[in-house]
């Protein structure tokens, strides 16, 4: 008891000492003048909208803004119409989004034009991988903002509510409207009465900001905690149990969003355990949610140890079920067929399931991209996925259009991002990881936005120091723009490709350190007895002749899961993009690349380039020192140093490991490895400190 | 008991598995033809000479060589006359040295001309810092080859004798003729009867190769182990004790060489403890040795915590005693005034003591130059010292000439090197540290040899694979010369300057990690209560205005210990060589250097250059892979990787530390630091593993 108190005190003290720790995110700008806001209605959401306008107004002093709520078919979901003196929407929440758009334009120096602005997806949701014990799986920003450990774990404090409100505001400001509060490997605790009370309290704080709460549930809850002998979805008692549980939840939280389920995946129970299909399993939960307008997000992240090619399995399992799911089920599909690797081709399920709602799942938290240590801006990765053409309904059938309702008449459209927030003072561990949270929201709202635009906005909102009373058009001096904005944006926009280069270039995938950190390199990891599809050699297939996973028609034929002409493009060495080369092809080390170099040399130059890119990022950042407060400058500088050391380790480890197969020298104009392979293997799962 | 046996077994196994571990040093070449050797006399030394000729002959098949011993005043000490068919000398040992010279010429492709070849110094001696417990102070090649730990420590085995013989042969082959078998912080054990028996056994093995044995003794032995109440050198009993001890030693080893003493230095007792001078102390031991023709080497490495400038103390203490020492005393003076730093100006004692024998002490073991991890060829450092002009007797009074008898009529001439050998399979820990052992011997013999010539010889002897029967002139193909010899020699010759650059450029000194390793950077180390002259800030004197130790006439006036015009040259910023700048001057960070850069920038570029030089060494070495056996190639490759990481650490630590004072940015065209200062300080004395 005493210990707990002390810990709280310590946390409080350490928080209050950090004056500029980045806690204010992209919401640090204050008003520079007075604005009069007129609105014909009242609501908690509208009150927030008015307050935001008044606190952040940077337009003309003593201007007037009218907020108008009326039905307009040009406006979709919670979209809005914006014009210099008015924000119009169908809903109160639409008004709030309009306010944030208006303020963003003021604060980034963009004109307030007459526009209609609709969200691309109905549901724009964060998946928190938070456990009720307050730990976060792949959490790099300390512990959960929702859950607390120990005796008083269910007591809702004022500090809790304040933090949740800040979180809600940040989400709303970028258009996010939902949050799954617990990890997909769901603990039964979350649907117990005490925890549901806490969920209710969270929902109450989030509600004015338009954020609905959702829960992950385990398919086996009926037998785990319901006192039933089975969780068979066709069992009458099971159906009854789910209906009752859903009713209980809605009795507490009438606008509860719904469930997220990970079933028959990585040890989680699912309908297969009872001889039922994913559809049969999902539909029971969907039926329970339906009367309350709840939705069920059902993950397609499934793979078994026996299949010849893990990349094919989600498609193989789910395609036959197309059309069998209830209309409030959405199949949640990771961007790529394996697992959030630095680069994957898009999942072939996108666009292929034509009679089922499908939603993309992105990972905002950088599980495989350097945790909260590396500076990696993820928007380019998501943009790459969203803009990928599936060809499912002819050219232009991008992943974006296949999932946002443009092509298929989905009952629900949605997009999910695995959250990267925790109780760290700066929310995300790395200051620049805030940009990924920001970018996810912006892309979820507008899935054709460019990474460049998003980066531009985020940098301006996060780093500009706007003097009081200054007009928007003069916000950003030429000096600041040229010496800060341009180089930092360049760094952000290159950062994902840099990570691909120094981690897994040219189609390499799943060669990270196993079994724990998923952080450093581990292409060698393959202990006896471990299932093969968890070991990197399963994916890189290196031998003294060649390297890469053959997914052509002569191999696993994964290419055929892609619609023509894409399947043939990937299948054919002439047309397969080199960035996916080793994903689809097993090739000799001396295969000649488009550059004229051998494959081996090209691999070496990619790793070297990645490492040199990080070195360049260090220079860029050091040079912007005059434009950033010391605390944020130093934080990022330190992390970039670690990132460089890690990039060096990735390069050294991968080149020295694969050199054992290629038996060729590393080109001599490349900086030599500075770590020995034995040393790197020995420290394999422990690179944070190096 | 059992444990000991297992350890011996393990050592044996690990040794025998290493086929090409570098154990053969520069003596790996075998004869390519038959030679008939004629000699009119017999002796153990001559037997060795004949055997060497026959085993290593690479001249014409069936050639004849005559060995002639006769008095010849043109020949000094153990010098020799060489001509194509004859080696002539005054002594048997001179013949042996002639044989090694002849074989070296054959094996390095140099012509056998008619030459007289005399050694520069009479005594060319290794100082082993080996303790009777078998540990070696600053030993980086495992344990002592002379001493063994444990129960059987005094048993002389056949393996011991074989190893000592190999050691003797290696020394003789480069002209070394003496070895102090124990460290200057001498344990009383070494003069006990049992240990003297072991010394006798060592002497017996070394004798045919012309290596005399010496011992370090502690000035306080009379009171420590002699049962006396004092060690006052003027006490009659003390004098008696020393006389008796010396007699005892000579009764066992009639050609015993003499003593080495470290007195009144770093906690060792000395004559000052009894109110006597160094001369009074030294003379008592010298008198005891004189009847047996033994010599006494008395170290000038003294400094007290109270003096304002440690660099001045040896001179201050010893100069007044010039002329007061017996003629069999040699004052042993470290190359520089502080302590074997990467670069120091020469000690002002050289040439200044005109009526006393003075001998240079070099450190072959790389205490301050990267241990056995960094590749640093030390010949350029010693050459720099030996060629330094003291101006004591006009221009051209080099340190070499002031110590080898060319200028002053010294009774004895000598030069000492602190040995770098241990029981490691390759003797020295680092393959290229063998070159330093080799170079010390060669420079001790010929103090005007160039580093380039020595490196050239060593590389040829160490790495060439001479096919049986091949003539000397075709030994080294153009390919091998261009692609191996030239780049490796270039690397060796640059390596010391590289180390200076990344460790202590521009006159920085004593900023290494204290108190233990002396390995990594530690410019910050200054705990309260520690004597100031042990802390790096005492030496670098950095503050926000300026940096460097002011030894000008306005400062400590150390410059005045140097003979004119040198004192004025060092004193004057216009003429002080920049390599000694911060040794002699305290200067503002923005002082403009000859390059036009500020001092701060110049410091940064030096550290960067040093690091980049190591990167270049890595490339050079990787490119010679086809010319080296795998084991030696890999050993060196691994060490170069570590050296690069350490160079990075040195650069980062020093730049980030001094940046706290300079408050200036590190020039942006320099690679950014990749370690944080806090991290480096925390791991200060533990860089081996990084």
């Amino acid at each position: 008891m005493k210990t707990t108190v002390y810990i709280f005190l310590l946390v409080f003290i350490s928080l209050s000492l950090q004056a500029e720790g980045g806690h204010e995110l992209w919401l640090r700008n204050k008003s520079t003048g007075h604005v009069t806001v007129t609105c014909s209605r009242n609501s908690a959401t509208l009150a927030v909208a008015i307050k935001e306008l008044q606190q952040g107004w940077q337009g003309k002093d003593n201007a007037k803004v009218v907020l108008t709520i009326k039905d307009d078919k040009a406006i979709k979901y919670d979209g809005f119409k914006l014009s210099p003196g008015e924000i119009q929407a169908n809903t109160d929440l639409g008004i709030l989004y309009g306010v944030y758009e208006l303020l963003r334009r003021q604060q980034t120096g963009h004109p307030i034009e007459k526009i209609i602005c609709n969200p691309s997806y109905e549901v724009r949701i964060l998946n928190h991988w938070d456990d009720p014990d307050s730990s976060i799986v792949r959490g790099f920003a300390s512990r959960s903002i929702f859950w607390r450990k120990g005796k008083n774990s269910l007591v809702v404090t004022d500090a809790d509510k304040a933090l949740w409100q800040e979180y809600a505001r940040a989400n709303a400001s970028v258009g996010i409207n939902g949050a799954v509060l617990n990890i997909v490997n769901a603990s039964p605790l979350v649907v117990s009465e005490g925890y549901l009370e806490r969920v209710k309290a969270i929902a109450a704080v989030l509600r004015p900001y338009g954020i609905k709460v959702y829960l992950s549930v385990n398919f086996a809850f009926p037998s785990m905690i319901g006192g039933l002998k089975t969780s068979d979805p066709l069992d009458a008692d099971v159906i009854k149990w789910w209906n009752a549980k859903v009713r209980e939840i809605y009795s507490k939280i009438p606008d509860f969003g719904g469930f997220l389920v990970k079933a028959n995946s990585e040890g989680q129970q699912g309908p297969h355990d009872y001889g039922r299909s994913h559809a049969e399993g999902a539909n029971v939960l969907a039926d329970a949610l339906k009367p309350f307008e709840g939705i069920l997000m059902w993950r397609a992240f499934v793979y078994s140890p026996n299949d010849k090619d893990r990349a094919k399995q989600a498609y193989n399992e789910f395609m036959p079920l197309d059309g069998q799911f209830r209309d409030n089920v959405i199949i949640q599909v990771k961007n790529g067929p394996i697992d959030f690797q630095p680069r994957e081709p898009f999942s072939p399920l996108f666009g292929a399931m034509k009679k089922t709602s499908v939603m993309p799942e992105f990972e905002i938290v950088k599980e495989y991209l350097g945790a909260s240590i590396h500076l990696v801006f993820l928007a380019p990765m998501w943009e790459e996925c969203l803009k990928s053409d599936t060809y499912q309904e002819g050219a232009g059938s991008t992943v974006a259009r296949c999932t946002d309702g443009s092509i298929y008449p989905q009952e629900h459209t949605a997009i999910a991002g695995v959250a990267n927030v925790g109780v760290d003072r700066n929310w995300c561990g790395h200051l620049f990881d805030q940009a990924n949270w920001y970018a996810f929201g912006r892309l979820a709202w507008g899935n054709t936005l460019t990474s460049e635009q998003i980066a531009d906005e985020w940098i301006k909102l996060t780093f500009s120091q706007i003097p009081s009373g200054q007009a928007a058009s003069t916000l950003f001096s030429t000096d600041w723009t040229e010496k800060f904005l341009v180089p930092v944006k360049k760094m952000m926009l290159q950062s994902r490709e840099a990570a691909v280069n120094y981690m897994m270039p040219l189609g390499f995938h799943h060669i990270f350190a196993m079994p724990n950190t998923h952080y450093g390199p581990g292409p060698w990891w393959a202990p006896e007895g471990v299932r093969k599809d968890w070991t990197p050699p399963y994916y890189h297939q290196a031998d003294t002749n060649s390297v890469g996973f053959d997914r052509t028609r002569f191999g696993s034929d994964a290419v055929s899961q892609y619609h023509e002409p894409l399947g043939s493009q990937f299948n054919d060495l002439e047309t397969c993009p080199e960035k996916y080369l080793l994903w689809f092809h097993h090739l000799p080390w001396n295969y000649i690349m488009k550059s004229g170099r051998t494959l081996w040399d090209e691999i070496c130059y990619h790793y070297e380039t990645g490492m040199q890119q990080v070195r360049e990022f260090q220079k860029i950042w050091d040079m912007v020192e005059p434009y950033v407060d010391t605390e944020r400058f130093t934080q990022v500088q330190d992390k970039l140093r670690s990132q460089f050391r890690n990039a060096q380790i990735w390069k050294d480890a991968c080149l020295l490991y694969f050199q054992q197969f290629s038996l060729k020298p590393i080109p001599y104009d490349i900086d030599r490895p500075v770590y020995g392979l034995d040393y790197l293997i020995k420290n394999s799962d422990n690179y944070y400190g190096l």
Side-chain angles (χ1 to χ4, degrees), chain A:
Chain A
M1 179 83 174
K2 232 175 185 175
T3 314
T4 319
V5 173
Y6 287 148
I7 288 170
F8 271 97
L9 261 171
L10 278 170
V11 168
F12 178 76
I13 290 166
S14 80
L15 291 185
S16 52
L17 283 176
Q18 291 175 294
E20 173 52 295
H23 188 71
E24 294 187 319
L25 296 163
W26 48 87
L27 294 162
R28 59 189 59 237
N29 287 307
K30 303 285 175 284
S31 73
T32 56
H34 182 261
V35 64
T36 307
V37 186
T38 319
C39 184
S40 58
R41 269 170 43 180
N42 275 326
S43 75
T45 298
L46 289 169
V48 170
I50 293 165
K51 192 176 157 201
E52 291 284 10
L53 264 182
Q54 287 168 339
Q55 285 184 345
W57 181 257
Q58 298 195 343
K60 279 186 192 156
D61 194 20
N62 291 316
K64 288 181 185 171
V65 174
V66 181
L67 308 180
T68 309
I69 298 109
K70 67 173 180 191
D71 279 344
D72 186 333
K73 292 205 170 158
I75 299 174
K76 205 175 86 177
Y77 307 135
D78 296 313
F80 54 87
K81 275 188 180 170
L82 185 66
S83 56
E86 184 180 12
I87 298 166
Q88 180 201 318
N90 293 337
T91 64
D92 295 0
L93 186 55
I95 295 292
L96 181 59
Y97 290 141
V99 165
Y100 284 124
E101 175 67 21
L102 186 152
L103 294 175
R104 177 162 44 239
R105 282 172 178 259
Q106 288 183 342
Q107 293 167 12
T108 58
H110 283 101
I112 317 292
E113 294 157 333
K114 224 177 158 74
I115 53 158
I116 297 176
C117 191
N118 287 319
S120 301
Y121 298 93
E122 176 197 357
V123 178
R124 306 170 297 279
I125 193 168
L126 292 184
N127 291 2
H128 288 269
W129 285 359
D130 298 12
D131 194 81
D133 74 1
S134 89
S135 67
I136 306 178
V137 175
R138 309 299 163 196
F140 309 115
S142 192
R143 307 192 78 79
S144 171
I145 62 168
F146 299 119
W147 311 108
R148 207 188 287 161
K149 206 174 180 168
K151 224 173 175 178
N152 295 311
S153 58
L154 293 178
V155 177
V156 174
T157 66
D158 287 347
D160 285 339
K161 288 194 222 166
L163 190 64
W164 298 339
Q165 189 181 24
E166 290 177 324
Y167 163 83
R169 180 182 176 226
N171 275 335
S173 76
V174 293
I176 290 166
N177 68 353
V180 183
L181 303 181
N182 65 313
I183 181 159
V184 286
N185 304 319
S187 158
L189 271 183
V190 291
V191 294
S192 67
E193 191 175 349
Y195 279 83
L196 285 178
E197 281 300 319
R198 192 170 175 88
V199 173
K200 180 181 173 182
I202 295 168
V205 177
L206 271 46
R207 189 169 292 114
Y209 292 88
I211 321 286
K212 282 190 183 177
V213 299
Y214 298 73
L215 290 175
S216 293
V217 293
N218 188 305
F219 191 80
F221 276 175
S223 50
M224 284 167 79
I225 53 170
L228 304 184
K229 287 191 180 143
T230 179
S231 293
D232 180 352
L234 302 196
D235 181 276
D237 289 334
V238 169
I239 294 169
K240 221 167 112 185
W241 187 89
W242 281 113
N243 287 340
K245 182 50 76 182
V246 167
R247 262 200 312 278
E248 181 194 349
I249 295 172
Y250 277 92
S251 73
K252 293 180 195 293
I253 310 145
D255 58 353
F256 181 73
F259 291 148
L260 170 63
V261 178
K262 173 183 182 182
N264 289 125
S265 168
E266 298 185 323
Q268 300 293 311
Q269 269 204 45
H272 291 181
D273 295 298
Y274 308 96
R276 314 299 180 188
S277 75
H278 279 287
E280 288 169 317
N283 290 344
V284 168
L285 277 74
D287 286 343
L289 290 160
K290 183 76 179 176
F292 307 97
E293 297 179 20
I295 60 168
L296 176 70
M297 295 166 288
W298 191 270
R299 290 177 102 218
F301 179 60
V302 295
Y303 59 102
S304 74
N306 306 318
D307 200 280
K308 272 190 185 163
D309 182 3
R310 171 169 160 189
K312 292 175 68 181
Q313 295 183 56
Y315 185 98
N316 286 344
E317 279 197 43
F318 279 83
M319 273 307 291
L321 305 175
D322 192 20
Q324 298 182 23
F325 292 95
R326 297 287 187 268
D327 67 4
N328 63 333
V329 174
I330 315 185
I331 304 302
Q332 181 166 314
V333 177
K334 293 188 181 186
N335 58 296
I338 300 283
D339 190 17
F340 298 135
Q341 297 302 287
R343 170 165 278 136
E344 303 192 25
F346 69 88
S347 165
L349 277 172
F350 292 121
M353 296 191 90
K354 298 173 199 302
K355 294 173 275 180
T356 309
S357 296
V358 171
M359 64 188 284
E361 177 181 346
F362 294 153
E363 198 179 36
I364 306 172
V365 70
K366 304 203 309 302
E367 175 178 2
Y368 298 105
L369 281 137
S372 62
I373 295 174
H374 297 206
L375 189 161
V376 183
F377 181 51
L378 298 176
M381 180 162 84
W382 302 329
E383 189 184 354
E384 182 174 283
C385 173
L386 290 167
K387 290 191 174 158
S388 293
D389 198 337
T390 71
Y391 292 96
Q392 288 286 352
E393 301 291 326
S397 307
T398 60
V399 170
R401 298 185 68 241
C402 286
T403 53
D404 69 5
S406 305
I407 294 179
Y408 304 115
Q410 303 194 181
E411 179 67 22
H412 295 284
T413 62
I415 188 166
V418 180
N420 66 348
V421 310
V423 296
D424 262 13
R425 183 69 186 154
N426 76 3
W427 295 94
C428 302
H430 195 306
L431 183 72
F432 276 77
D433 280 337
Q434 297 179 353
N436 293 324
W437 182 8
Y438 183 89
F440 171 75
R442 296 291 287 140
L443 279 171
W445 182 279
N447 63 12
T448 58
L449 284 180
T450 64
S451 304
E452 195 278 339
Q453 180 183 337
I454 296 168
D456 189 271
E457 286 175 10
W458 179 80
I459 295 169
K460 285 174 174 169
L461 295 171
T462 304
F463 290 106
S464 72
Q465 311 285 339
I466 303 180
S468 166
Q470 187 155 343
S473 60
T474 60
L475 282 185
F476 308 106
S477 68
T478 311
D479 179 67
W480 186 87
T481 302
E482 285 177 2
K483 296 199 180 143
F484 185 83
L485 176 65
V486 169
V488 171
K489 190 159 62 182
K490 179 181 149 200
M491 169 173 73
M492 287 176 71
L493 292 174
Q494 286 185 355
S495 60
R496 184 267 184 145
E497 201 62 38
V500 169
N501 281 331
Y502 65 71
M503 288 178 171
M504 308 186 202
L506 293 169
F508 273 130
H509 53 287
H510 206 299
I511 57 172
F512 51 82
M514 287 283 286
N516 299 321
T517 63
H518 296 188
Y519 182 73
W524 47 76
W525 193 81
E528 270 195 70
V530 168
R531 51 187 276 189
K532 293 282 173 252
D533 62 342
W534 280 354
T535 70
Y538 171 97
Y539 298 95
H540 64 63
Q541 298 278 327
D543 59 40
T544 49
N545 297 316
S546 41
V547 65
F549 199 119
D550 185 356
R551 295 192 169 103
T552 68
R553 296 191 179 122
F554 297 107
S556 80
D557 199 25
V559 292
S560 294
Q561 292 184 339
Y562 291 93
H563 198 285
E564 283 304 316
L566 203 54
S568 294
Q569 270 177 28
F570 288 153
N571 187 67
D572 186 344
L573 275 174
E574 287 297 312
T575 50
C576 181
E578 288 193 342
K579 63 184 176 181
Y580 299 136
L581 198 65
L582 301 175
W583 184 284
F584 287 115
H585 296 273
H586 185 72
L587 293 170
W589 294 105
N590 54 13
Y591 170 80
I592 300 299
M593 305 288 288
K594 295 201 172 82
S595 64
R597 291 174 181 148
T598 64
L599 171 58
W600 165 249
D601 281 1
E602 191 78 16
I603 289 170
C604 293
Y605 283 108
H606 272 270
Y607 278 102
E608 174 71 2
T609 299
M611 191 186 77
Q612 296 293 357
Q613 284 174 305
V614 181
R615 177 166 282 149
E616 184 62 26
F617 298 163
Q618 286 191 278
K619 285 190 189 177
I620 287 173
W621 189 252
D622 277 6
M623 289 178 80
V624 303
E625 183 168 5
Y627 303 92
V628 195
D629 53 285
T630 305
E631 187 169 349
R632 289 192 293 173
F633 173 78
T634 308
Q635 275 177 14
V636 174
Q637 186 187 46
D638 280 351
K639 301 231 177 198
L640 281 168
R641 287 174 182 161
S642 297
Q643 184 175 359
F644 178 82
R645 301 200 302 273
N646 294 154
Q648 173 96 61
I649 284 170
W650 265 98
K651 174 191 135 186
D652 290 1
C654 293
L655 294 191
L656 293 176
Y657 171 75
F658 287 119
Q659 191 178 32
Q660 299 175 122
F661 300 101
S662 83
L663 303 173
K664 293 171 190 298
I666 295 164
Y668 294 109
D669 55 350
I670 283 178
D671 284 355
R672 316 319 291 165
V674 306
Y675 293 96
L677 185 58
D678 292 346
Y679 175 81
L680 291 169
I681 291 176
K682 210 177 108 194
N683 292 284
S684 220
D685 221 6
N686 184 32
Y687 286 124
Y688 292 103
L690 289 182

